[in-house]
C-alpha cells in the first residue's frame, strides 16, 4: 500500500466510534438525515391516521402513506444533490 492509502486507512480506523461516523456523514450530506427523518414522520403520521381513515380501504390508505413518505425522501435527496452541485460548481473558486 502507498503511504497516502495508509494515512487514509489509519484516520478511518482511529475515528471508529459510531457516533463520530454518524456525525461526519451528517456534515457531509445533510439532506440524507432530513429525508430519513421526514420519511419516518410521514409513516408515523400515516399509522396514527390509520384509526381515523373512515370508509377508505386499508390498502389504499397504506399506498397513499407509502407514496407520501417516498416522495418526501426523494425530494430531500434531490435537494441534497442540487445543493452539492451548487456548492461544487458555483461556490467553488476558479482555478
Amino acid at each position: 500500500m502507498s503511504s497516502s492509502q495508509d494515512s487514509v486507512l489509519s484516520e478511518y480506523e482511529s475515528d471508529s466510534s459510531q457516533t463520530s461516523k454518524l456525525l461526519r456523514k451528517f456534515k457531509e450530506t445533510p439532506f440524507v438525515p432530513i429525508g430519513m427523518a421526514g420519511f419516518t414522520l410521514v409513516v408515523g403520521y400515516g399509522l396514527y391516521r390509520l384509526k381515523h381513515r373512515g370508509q377508505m380501504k386499508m390498502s389504499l390508505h397504506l399506498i397513499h402513506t407509502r407514496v407520501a413518505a417516498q416522495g418526501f425522501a426523494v425530494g430531500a435527496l434531490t435537494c441534497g444533490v442540487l445543493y452539492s452541485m451548487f456548492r461544487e460548481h458555483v461556490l467553488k473558486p476558479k482555478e
Side-chain angles (χ1 to χ4, degrees), residues 43-56:
V43 168
Y45 180 72
L47 291 175
Y48 172 74
R49 294 292 301 168
L50 190 62
K51 293 190 305 187
H52 309 290
R53 68 181 187 275
Q55 297 294 326
M56 184 186 291

Side-chain angles (χ1 to χ4, degrees), residues 17-63:
S17 74
Q18 293 295 330
T19 306
S20 62
K21 287 180 187 178
L22 190 62
L23 290 175
R24 187 180 73 234
K25 281 294 185 187
F26 285 176
K27 288 178 185 175
E28 291 173 1
T29 55
F31 285 95
V32 171
I34 292 170
M36 290 168 41
F39 179 86
T40 305
L41 289 173
V42 169
V43 168
Y45 180 72
L47 291 175
Y48 172 74
R49 294 292 301 168
L50 190 62
K51 293 190 305 187
H52 309 290
R53 68 181 187 275
Q55 297 294 326
M56 184 186 291
K57 290 184 178 181
M58 182 184 288
S59 62
L60 188 61
H61 177 76
L62 293 176
I63 289 171

